[in-house]
Amino acid sequence: MAFGSRGGTGMVAGSAPQSSSGAQLSGTEQDATSVYFLDVGQGDSELIRLKTGENILIDAGTPETAQELADYLADLGVSKIDCLVATHPHADHIGGMEQIVSRFEIGQIYMPRIPDSQIPTTAAYEKLLTAIDKKGLKITAPKAGTVIVHNGDEKLEILAPNSAKYDDLNSYSIVAMLTSGEKKFLFTGDAESDSEKEMVAKGYDLRCDVLKCGHHGSSTSTSAAFLKAANPKTAVISCGLNNDYGHPHKEVISRLQKAGVTIYRTDQQKTVLAQCDGKSIRFTTGLNSVGK
Ligand SMILES: [Zn+2]
């Protein structure tokens, strides 16, 4: 079944926010890859459900919605996170991860290696490490160019970090490309323009259909050169309503608009679900926020 065959643009917008999010998924085999861009306020969290029923979680929002995120995933029928990706150890990305590690069965955990001098001393980070340790799990440092998940026509490939040292913690962010058949989703964490520049220089195929914009739509990410290389049709920006940082920055919005990219924002469209059958992608907006 191709979503495009249903007619129209293949977009479904504005479904009732009170509708049970993702009730169509049972946690078993699906005919589509589902990507939830979860509304966690000013933070990042994306859940990928593969056709095999395997789950990949990229980031886990802030400490404020930790419990609610775990409940949300449980409501979707998630019992195991087969691949957990902590893009970088800032509290708006790993804030809810201790809960996730404690409550769910966990497969692989990926987190970038950070020099001692830049490792944050936040409670969220310390608690996460303790939870990982308690369960006897180990952290794998990502290596750019490696495929970490591969099932049939679905795969997740690491594209960054490409250096051992950056000025800003954000740029250590794990960047990963999800492929589902002919379609691609690029997840950039908070990677900034220095990391983007490296990915372009390395000659990675950055072309994608959906770009999760770096650093909540900050002007320090989604640089013109990177956007040109990625050439997405759709961009998703994960940010909180009226956040203190002014995210997303107007330069980024204007760059995306000029490139003719459709923009979804979690502060405006709440949780956004993209379902991909390998040939087309169907978007549903207005799904429940995490913790509301
Ligand atoms: Zn962030």
Side-chain angles (χ1 to χ4, degrees), residues 40-84:
V40 289
Q42 183 63 17
D44 242 37
S45 185
E46 296 95 34
L47 171 70
I48 301 165
R49 310 204 73 182
L50 299 181
K51 290 185 282 188
T52 52
E54 285 178 273
N55 300 302
I56 299 165
L57 185 69
I58 302 179
D59 290 335
T62 68
E64 288 74 33
T65 57
Q67 175 83 43
E68 289 86 348
L69 176 66
D71 291 344
Y72 198 104
L73 299 185
D75 284 350
L76 288 177
V78 173
S79 59
K80 180 178 181 186
I81 306 290
D82 299 276
C83 178
L84 181 62

Side-chain angles (χ1 to χ4, degrees), residues 42-44 88 90 92-93 170 189-190 215-216:
Q42 183 63 17
D44 242 37
H88 66 300
H90 270 153
D92 57 324
H93 297 255
N170 285 333
D190 279 356
H215 199 192
H216 321 284

